[in-house]
């Protein structure tokens, strides 16, 4: 009989049966999708499916929705007793309907998630819940919060709940940075970084609190947590807040992550179970815990491995490009005859790569989109050849190619060669543009692009003194009071680089 099968399943869960009883209660109340039955009680998909199978003939289906047959609900009343009542913090969310409506609109228009970056969208209720909890737990007014990655739009929720907190978002996704900056009307500062290659200097030792929802691999959690500690102004009083979830079917994965965090010297002040809910990630119950971590020391973080994600070419188990594709890459980046062919290398822009080299070959097959531009900004060869996937956003369309070209055309002339031996990759060849072909405005832009790791204000002034043969004071007078003068060009979101280059060009005009 189905009721006995369900009772046996609940008994097998022992002290952990409350969540499964809540699934049963949902099924007895109304129709629900499998996604609802996973997310609301935070139960792994496979566990929910086991319950649905145990219900057998007592279960009704309608499309993708399920419920217990109304005539059979009474038979399960005693099994529904003691269901998980849910998180009491959720009551705070229900009382902030205006903020919730705004976040629902924000999330509806956010750039689509990228599976290669392990994007799984948190619910609007979760983003608001994070903000309300932070505001209730900490004195945020006049404090600094850094969000390392923010596809969930936690930054927008925090500034809505408490407009007196200074929020900075650092992310590898230029689309997201542009969106957050526009949606916040500039209240949220945005900077670009791939944390495997370091942080923008402007956020190092700057924050009172750091929040992050990293990739749920041991490698990803360790890297993001380590960078979070580097962001704290005072590790003694600062806190690192992390979202992390694992299935109760695979506790060893949770152990590996917690061991990585402990290696960083992080103490778990609190772990709030199933605090975060997602539209997806059903293998872990569409939920993650909130880790409240206190650093015991500032530990250095070694350069991260490319493989930190669970999906795509940057996943832990990704195999990389074919040998034939790499050979084609090397052939298109020839060195002088007296030099050996270059070895394809992974990019890194904490420091310039390939400076002064005659040519450079770079394997960018794992590039989610931003690496190609950043590599062009970071290196100074006479020729660079980069191997990227055919579906790279700056390769796959004429518009994408034109956009990249417009950003670097004073520095490099680009060619896009899509015929590689494996048919899956494109070689982007960048040949140095000769200074003699450029006017004063183009030369000024070129000088700034060539020193993308310098502080923008200094580099811009020096470009003008070099190109126009004017004094530093005269150069300073030509530069507007731009908000990014204290940042490095390479740390700016793509849209701000695009907006900045015409200003540099104009500053060199007579």
């Amino acid at each position: 009989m189905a009721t006995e099968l369900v009772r046996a399943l609940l008994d097998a869960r022992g002290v952990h049966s409350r969540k499964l009883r809540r699934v049963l209660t949902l099924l007895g109340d109304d129709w629900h999708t499998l996604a609802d039955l996973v997310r609301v009680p935070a139960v792994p998909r496979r566990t929910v499916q086991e319950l649905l199978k145990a219900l057998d003939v007592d279960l009704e289906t309608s499309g993708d929705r399920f419920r217990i047959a109304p005539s059979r609900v009474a038979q399960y009343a005693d099994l529904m007793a003691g269901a998980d009542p849910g998180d009491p913090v959720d009551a705070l969310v229900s009382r902030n309907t205006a903020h919730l409506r705004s976040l629902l609109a924000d999330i509806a228009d956010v750039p689509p998630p990228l599976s290669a970056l392990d994007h799984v969208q948190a619910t609007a209720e979760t983003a608001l819940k994070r903000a309300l909890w932070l505001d209730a737990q900490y004195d945020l007014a006049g404090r600094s919060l850094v969000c390392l990655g923010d596809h969930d739009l936690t930054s927008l929720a925090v500034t809505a709940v408490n407009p007196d907190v200074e929020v900075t978002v650092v992310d590898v996704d230029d689309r997201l940075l542009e969106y957050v900056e526009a949606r916040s009307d500039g209240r949220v500062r945005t900077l670009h970084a791939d944390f495997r290659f370091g942080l923008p200097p402007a956020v190092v030792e700057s924050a009172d609190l750091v929040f992050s929802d990293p990739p749920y691999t041991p490698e990803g959690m360790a890297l993001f947590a380590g960078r979070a500690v580097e962001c704290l102004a005072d590790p003694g009083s600062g806190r690192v807040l992390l979202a992390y979830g694992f299935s109760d079917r695979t506790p060893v994965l949770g152990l590996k992550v917690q061991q990585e965090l402990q290696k960083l010297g992080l103490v778990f002040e609190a772990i709030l179970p199933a605090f975060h809910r997602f539209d997806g990630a059903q293998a872990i119950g569409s939920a993650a815990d909130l880790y409240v971590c206190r650093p015991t020391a500032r530990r250095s973080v070694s350069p991260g491995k490319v493989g930190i994600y669970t999906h795509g070419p940057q996943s832990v188990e990704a195999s990389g490009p074919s040998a034939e594709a790499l050979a084609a890459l090397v052939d298109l980046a020839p060195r002088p005859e007296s030099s050996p062919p270059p070895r394809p290398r992974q990019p890194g822009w904490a420091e310039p790569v390939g400076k002064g080299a005659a040519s450079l070959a770079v394997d960018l097959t794992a590039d989610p989109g931003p690496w190609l531009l950043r590599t062009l900004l970071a290196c100074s060869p006479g020729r660079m050849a980069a191997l990227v996937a055919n579906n790279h956003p700056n390769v796959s369309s004429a518009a994408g190619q034109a956009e990249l070209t417009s950003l670097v055309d004073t520095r490099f002339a680009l060619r896009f060669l899509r015929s590689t031996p494996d048919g899956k990759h494109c070689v982007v060849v960048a040949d140095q543009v000769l200074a003699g072909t450029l006017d004063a405005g183009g030369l000024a832009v070129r000088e700034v692009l060539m020193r993308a790791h310098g502080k923008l204000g200094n580099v811009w002034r020096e470009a003008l003194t070099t190109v126009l043969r004017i004094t530093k004071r005269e150069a300073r007078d030509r530069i507007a009071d731009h908000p990014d003068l204290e940042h490095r060009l390479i740390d700016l979101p793509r849209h701000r680089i695009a907006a900045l280059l015409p200003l540099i060009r104009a500053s060199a005009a007579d």
Side-chain angles (χ1 to χ4, degrees), residues 378-398:
C379 66
S380 300
R383 165 179 287 186
M384 186 190 83
L387 186 68
V388 301
N390 273 337
N391 63 353
H392 188 284
N394 280 131
V395 168
S396 60
S397 69

Side-chain angles (χ1 to χ4, degrees), residues 332-333 360 372-373 376-377 379-386 394 401-417 427-435 437-438 442 446 449-450:
L332 288 166
L360 180 69
L372 179 55
L373 171 62
L376 289 167
L377 293 176
C379 66
S380 300
R383 165 179 287 186
M384 186 190 83
N394 280 131
Q401 295 179 14
E403 187 263 349
L404 178 65
T405 299
S406 69
L407 294 175
V408 299
D409 60 0
T410 61
R411 180 73 186 89
F412 292 109
L414 302 182
R415 289 180 288 146
F416 300 86
L417 311 178
V427 176
V428 180
V429 179
D431 287 306
Q432 184 177 12
V433 171
L434 298 179
T437 64
L438 301 172
R446 184 177 188 271
L449 293 180
M450 290 182 67

Side-chain angles (χ1 to χ4, degrees), residues 85-96 125-137 272-277 290:
D87 191 336
V89 181
D90 291 337
L92 292 174
V93 174
S94 64
R95 294 198 294 269
N96 285 266
E125 291 82 358
T126 291
L128 181 54
K129 183 178 178 181
R130 291 170 179 171
L132 292 169
W133 187 89
L134 285 168
D135 192 51
Q137 187 73 20
L272 308 185
F275 186 93
H276 316 274
R277 303 302 171 91
L290 174 62

Side-chain angles (χ1 to χ4, degrees), residues 112 116 123 144 178 198 252 268 279 293 332 381 391 435 484 491:
T123 64
S144 172
E178 183 175 10
V252 172
F268 303 150
D279 290 322
C293 302
L332 288 166
N391 63 353
D484 285 324
D491 297 329

Side-chain angles (χ1 to χ4, degrees), residues 178-233:
E178 183 175 10
Y179 182 81
V180 167
E181 190 172 299
R183 210 74 175 195
S184 70
D185 293 325
R187 288 181 298 158
V188 176
R189 180 177 64 162
T190 62
L191 292 170
H192 179 279
D194 187 312
F195 304 132
R196 286 165 287 197
F197 309 117
L199 290 168
V203 299
V204 174
E205 299 185 18
S206 70
D208 298 294
L209 299 170
V210 182
F211 177 84
S212 186
D213 188 352
Y216 290 178
T217 61
E219 297 84 354
M221 291 295 297
L223 175 63
F224 276 59
R227 297 302 184 206
V229 175
E230 291 178 17
C231 287
L232 293 176

Side-chain angles (χ1 to χ4, degrees), residues 261-283:
L261 297 180
Q262 288 176 337
K263 289 178 184 177
L264 293 170
L266 294 174
V267 174
F268 303 150
E269 283 193 334
I271 299 178
L272 308 185
F275 186 93
H276 316 274
R277 303 302 171 91
F278 303 93
D279 290 322
Q282 294 183 1

Side-chain angles (χ1 to χ4, degrees), residues 78-79 101 120 157 198 210 214 223 234 242 298 329 378 387 478:
D78 65 317
L79 300 182
R101 282 195 299 269
V120 179
V210 182
L223 175 63
D234 179 4
L242 303 170
R298 197 185 299 280
L329 166 65
L387 186 68
R478 284 176 173 254

